[in-house]
Amino acid sequence: MKETQTPILSIENLTIRFGGLVAVNDVSFDILPSELFGLIGPNGAGKTTCFNMITGVYRPTAGEIRFQGSSIIGLRPSLIAARGIARTFQNIRLFGALSVLENVIVGGFLRRKTTLFESMTLLPSAIKETSQFASAAMALLEMFDLADLADTRSADLPYGKQRRLEIARAMATSPRLLLLDEPAAGMNPQESEELMRDIKRLRDEFGQTILLIEHDMKVVMGVCEKIVVLDYGAEIAQGPPEKIRNDPKVIEAYLGEPV
Amino acid sequence: MPLEAAALTHQRFSSGKFWLVRIVSIALLVGIACLFQFAAVPHMGIYDKRLLISAMTFASLAVSLNLINGVTGQFSMGHAGFYMIGAYTGAKLTTTFYDRHLMPDYAWLLAVICGGAVMSAFAGFIVGLPSLRLRGDYLAIVTLGFGEILRVVVNNQDGGDKSLFGLNLGGSYALDMPRGSRISELAYIFVFLVITIAICRNLLKTAHGLAFLSIREDETAAEATGINTTKFKVTAFVIGAALAGIAGVLMAHYNGSVTPNDYTMDVSFLLVTMVVMGGTGSITGAALAGISLKLLEESLRSVPDIPAVNLWAAVVVAILFAAVLKRGGLGRVLNAPALAVVRIVIAELTLLLIAYMVFKLWHTQMSIVFKVAASLVFLGCAAAFHARDNVRKALPTFGYLVTCVAVVLLISIPLASAFHKLPLLQKLIGDTTYKATDVRWAFFATALVITMLVRSQGLFGHHEFSWSFLGRSFGKRSETVEASA
């Protein structure tokens, strides 16, 4: 049944070399619409490098990345974001001096229709659009339980809330594909459980396609429908969680023991 | 609670009766400018006008630099270069093409302003390009070089005999205007300052402004959020440069001459200082710092000559006193909570003393501009000390500082006369006197150092002036009084 669907993101033989180091070697996988896809592997396996290639930060040495049927290799990150791929960062990157609300407004800014001139002269169109952005942002903040903190400086938020805000900001770009780089890193078990519930809700209620990097095995196995495992830049296994759990190569490289 | 936040947001971004407000505010601006031009300016001396004009020009330059440095976070130190391009483009256009029968003066000025703005914007575009690859201090060095190269080129571009189009910029020259006709007026510069502030303020009220700010905060994240950082960074340079260019045109036409020495590195440094002092990213801060630092720089010209012995005596005492405070535990005694009341009394007395000095200032020969500015600064500080809760907490500290300064001065005076009697010191310094023209820079620098030590984020930090803020800070006391009653 699923084989007949066209993938939203398809990665073919993706390879990148930094000098002599092959950071990612010949990785291929397809993500179908509304899928919750996991990318796992030990430290230095090349997971974040994969993200950076998909979002246009690095240019792959070889291979192809197709998003909704067309290649996105060589596009600058902002263009890729405009095409519909949004991401969060492993080490949180918020606009610290801006308020929580403003952070999310910046996310929506991508869909603007007004010009810079209209903003400089503060014409009604610019004001109206900004307030539309603001109310859309408020709605997102409600969803992520951040609405009561809307006017707080984002740098002053506690760690877990900063992570949620980053996801809210990424969602504000109304992405087709959401890339989450270790969203639960540094969270306590309860926080990470809540976060995973929200991520699953994003998918279930809005049909959001999500590609997730995660270290916490319990989290990945509980949430993702399909998983790719990287080790030293190479793909060692791919499939649904049950298959990954019992794959001898994965157990050896990453898990150490069956979970 | 969430609803409250949402309401707040809408209030912040809502338009109201847009066109009515817009037309009334423009009419008000023109009205004030006309009133100023026809009622106040004729009574002002040449020096007063000059002071006011340079203060306003620098304020507008600081605000436009703030768009590049403070808002977008691209450290530019070549702002004098853009200012210069505007001035020289305007000057060249006027000397070559100006004909008073061709069109009215204000139309000509408008045309020249466009020319200057376009040339500066182009330069801004060229300088903005390196900002795509360079960050922070590296970009600062590149832009610094740009400003200096430009000054040298303009200074030496005399075309020789074989200049193709007679492109003779030729360093300093007078704009060839009929005697007594001056096409740039004080009111124009005032209006331009307001427009500059309005453009930047408008920008920051909309999502576009947030895009510029997001680049300052985190370039990688901004790019990943879909903001074309290249485009926005270059845009910031282009807008900032165009505004600086217009300031240059207006200033050149007010002066009726141009000279490369008005656009040296010092000017760029002074502008960066204004932006940092005002609080990076704060338009209010940049504008106020622009006006006050320029006036401070000018007013320090009337500082008396200072005998070297007195100055060094004060320095020696200050260092020794600081050591005693720190090591001898005197600081703990003076800073004791029990003495807070004493320190507040001292602070209040000092404020009274300053008030008296400001009052005395009105009876001196100094320019009315200084008198007004000093009074306003004093009133602002005094009001802040008493109305703002968080600033009022600084009163005891202020009193403490005043005590320290007083002690240093008291001890240093007898020490200075003792120094005079030391034969060795006599031989070393003799009767050296520091000239006021030089010492003023030392004072200026000291003022900067103190401000940065006391408040490193600049006067305004990231904040902006707003009426509601003003209302809140002065309304708070009555509210708390009501609450306690």
Side-chain angles (χ1 to χ4, degrees):
Chain A
M1 185 63 187
K2 269 190 173 176
E3 273 64 35
T4 57
Q5 265 182 299
T6 47
I8 188 166
L9 180 80
S10 85
I11 286 175
E12 295 157 20
N13 310 103
L14 199 61
T15 303
I16 189 169
R17 286 189 201 92
F18 296 115
L21 178 83
V22 187
V24 173
N25 191 10
D26 206 21
V27 171
S28 305
F29 56 88
D30 285 346
I31 300 177
L32 299 175
S34 302
E35 206 167 29
L36 234 167
F37 202 98
L39 185 60
I40 64 173
N43 277 329
K47 305 179 299 282
T48 299
T49 311
C50 262
F51 262 36
N52 283 337
M53 285 189 283
I54 296 171
T55 52
V57 178
Y58 298 148
R59 201 193 167 97
T61 319
E64 183 62 282
I65 305 170
R66 287 178 181 285
F67 181 65
Q68 296 184 310
S70 55
S71 172
I72 53 168
I73 284 178
L75 296 183
R76 59 176 304 147
S78 57
L79 264 177
I80 293 179
R83 291 263 182 114
I85 300 183
R87 73 171 292 181
T88 66
F89 294 87
Q90 191 172 1
N91 43 344
I92 303 173
R93 284 174 173 276
L94 289 170
F95 308 130
L98 302 191
S99 77
V100 168
L101 181 72
E102 285 166 341
N103 265 273
V104 184
I105 292 178
V106 174
F109 182 65
L110 180 63
R111 310 285 169 213
R112 70 183 174 276
K113 293 193 181 66
T114 54
T115 58
L116 184 67
F117 178 78
E118 287 169 275
S119 290
M120 283 199 301
T121 47
L122 204 66
L123 292 180
S125 54
I127 302 171
K128 200 175 147 210
E129 195 184 54
T130 302
S131 81
Q132 278 166 2
F133 283 148
S135 30
M138 263 332 273
L140 266 171
L141 289 181
E142 303 263 359
M143 211 169 91
F144 285 88
D145 289 336
L146 291 165
D148 48 341
L149 296 167
D151 290 327
T152 320
R153 241 171 63 103
S154 64
D156 297 340
L157 286 183
Y159 185 82
K161 293 211 182 328
Q162 291 196 0
R163 285 243 175 250
R164 302 170 76 90
L165 177 57
E166 237 200 343
I167 301 177
R169 187 182 66 191
M171 283 303 292
T173 65
S174 39
R176 303 261 157 76
L177 173 65
L178 179 63
L179 307 186
L180 301 175
D181 200 344
E182 299 207 19
M187 286 186 170
N188 64 37
Q190 190 207 339
E191 279 175 327
S192 92
E193 198 175 309
E194 268 174 39
L195 184 78
M196 285 305 148
R197 214 169 38 228
D198 284 345
I199 290 174
K200 217 167 154 49
R201 226 181 76 207
L202 274 184
R203 205 284 306 273
D204 295 341
E205 286 178 25
F206 304 96
Q208 183 68 49
T209 320
I210 296 171
L211 172 57
L212 180 81
I213 291 181
E214 191 46 79
H215 245 90
D216 190 337
M217 289 306 301
K218 255 189 261 166
V219 165
V220 182
M221 294 296 177
V223 159
C224 295
E225 288 140 7
K226 212 170 164 196
I227 290 170
V228 167
V229 188
L230 297 185
D231 191 23
Y232 293 109
E235 183 187 321
I236 56 172
Q238 192 173 147
E242 309 81 54
K243 190 182 150 200
I244 298 296
R245 199 173 315 204
N246 303 319
D247 191 304
K249 262 179 162 171
V250 177
I251 295 169
E252 186 195 326
Y254 186 74
L255 302 174
E257 53 184 293
V259 276
Chain B
M1 195 64 180
L3 276 176
E4 242 179 64
L8 243 168
T9 324
H10 277 282
Q11 191 192 346
R12 198 192 318 162
F13 291 118
S14 72
S15 59
K17 288 172 190 153
F18 173 77
W19 289 109
L20 183 70
V21 173
R22 182 61 54 95
I23 289 167
V24 167
S25 53
I26 289 176
L28 260 178
L29 171 62
V30 174
I32 292 173
C34 288
L35 195 73
F36 192 61
Q37 182 68 32
F38 296 118
V41 173
H43 301 294
M44 293 169 75
I46 295 174
Y47 180 58
D48 298 338
K49 279 195 255 180
R50 169 142 301 282
L51 274 179
L52 206 55
I53 281 202
S54 44
M56 288 196 297
T57 306
F58 270 77
S60 75
L61 285 172
V63 171
S64 58
L65 179 65
N66 181 49
L67 188 66
I68 304 173
N69 271 25
V71 175
T72 321
Q74 306 302 306
F75 206 99
S76 165
M77 295 193 67
H79 214 57
F82 302 132
Y83 179 40
M84 177 184 219
I85 288 180
Y88 269 83
T89 309
K92 198 70 206 169
L93 283 174
T94 297
T95 43
T96 320
F97 299 112
Y98 178 72
D99 176 0
R100 68 181 322 184
H101 306 297
L102 193 67
M103 52 170 110
D105 279 350
Y106 61 84
W108 174 251
L109 186 66
L110 216 58
V112 176
I113 281 176
C114 291
V118 167
M119 284 300 283
S120 291
F122 179 69
F125 178 74
I126 301 290
V127 179
L129 290 178
S131 75
L132 309 179
R133 295 200 160 271
L134 298 171
R135 287 180 194 188
D137 5 5
Y138 306 106
L139 181 66
I141 292 165
V142 168
T143 50
L144 184 68
F146 159 79
E148 204 49 14
I149 290 168
L150 210 70
R151 192 180 63 82
V152 171
V153 167
V154 170
N155 212 358
N156 291 285
Q157 178 71 39
D158 57 3
D161 292 332
K162 293 175 187 163
S163 165
L164 194 49
F165 302 110
L167 187 62
N168 178 1
L169 298 171
S172 315
Y173 60 90
L175 273 66
D176 214 5
M177 308 266 288
R179 223 181 217 303
S181 89
R182 162 180 284 159
I183 64 175
S184 175
E185 290 289 352
L186 207 153
Y188 295 167
I189 296 179
F190 170 70
V191 170
F192 171 66
L193 171 62
V194 175
I195 290 176
T196 310
I197 293 175
I199 285 180
C200 295
R201 188 84 189 96
N202 287 347
L203 207 56
L204 289 187
K205 274 187 176 170
T206 64
H208 265 100
L210 292 180
F212 285 105
L213 286 168
S214 73
I215 294 174
R216 173 188 79 190
E217 293 300 315
D218 193 320
E219 219 178 304
T220 316
E223 182 77 35
T225 319
I227 287 158
N228 188 335
T229 49
T230 305
K231 202 174 114 191
F232 275 91
K233 282 196 282 186
V234 175
T235 306
F237 266 100
V238 167
I239 298 175
L243 289 173
I246 296 174
V249 172
L250 288 170
M251 195 64 177
H253 285 80
Y254 187 82
N255 284 345
S257 66
V258 278
T259 167
N261 283 342
D262 285 349
Y263 311 98
T264 47
M265 238 190 253
D266 300 4
V267 175
S268 291
F269 277 123
L270 190 60
L271 288 172
V272 170
T273 311
M274 287 166 181
V275 170
V276 174
M277 280 276 280
T280 40
S282 170
I283 299 166
T284 323
L288 287 181
I291 291 178
S292 46
L293 283 191
K294 190 65 194 167
L295 287 183
L296 178 67
E297 187 207 323
E298 292 296 328
S299 65
L300 284 174
R301 280 183 205 274
S302 45
V303 165
D305 293 357
I306 295 174
V309 175
N310 287 51
L311 191 68
W312 288 114
V315 169
V316 168
V317 175
I319 292 173
L320 289 178
F321 188 64
V324 174
L325 278 182
K326 181 83 184 146
R327 307 289 302 177
L330 188 58
R332 228 172 303 135
V333 177
L334 284 179
N335 225 345
L339 286 178
V341 182
V342 178
R343 291 199 303 274
I344 290 177
V345 170
I346 292 174
E348 296 286 3
L349 285 177
T350 315
L351 284 177
L352 272 180
L353 183 68
I354 296 174
Y356 178 69
M357 281 159 71
V358 171
F359 172 72
K360 276 302 222 188
L361 184 73
W362 280 88
H363 297 281
T364 59
Q365 293 297 310
M366 283 180 84
S367 165
I368 178 98
V369 178
F370 291 137
K371 292 174 184 169
V372 172
S375 313
L376 285 179
V377 168
F378 170 72
L379 287 178
C381 292
F385 261 135
H386 293 96
R388 303 259 314 129
D389 280 338
N390 53 344
V391 185
R392 193 165 56 238
K393 286 192 197 107
L395 262 181
T397 319
F398 180 56
Y400 175 63
L401 283 177
V402 170
T403 317
C404 293
V405 171
V407 169
V408 168
L409 285 181
L410 277 178
I411 303 179
S412 75
I413 292 167
L415 189 71
S417 45
F419 276 180
H420 263 301
K421 297 189 180 91
L422 281 180
L424 181 66
L425 213 62
Q426 263 310 331
K427 274 189 190 121
L428 268 177
I429 344 184
D431 285 330
T432 309
T433 308
Y434 295 128
K435 285 198 187 64
T437 44
D438 296 333
V439 167
R440 78 183 175 119
W441 285 110
F443 275 111
F444 188 67
T446 315
L448 297 188
V449 169
I450 292 172
T451 315
M452 283 296 112
L453 282 177
V454 174
R455 198 170 158 80
S456 58
Q457 71 271 46
L459 290 172
F460 276 75
H462 286 322
H463 302 289
E464 290 293 348
F465 168 83
S466 72
W467 293 109
S468 64
F469 169 76
L470 201 67
R472 267 206 311 280
S473 42
F474 287 95
K476 204 174 258 171
R477 291 192 86 187
S478 51
E479 271 172 36
T480 45
V481 170
E482 274 169 34
S484 60

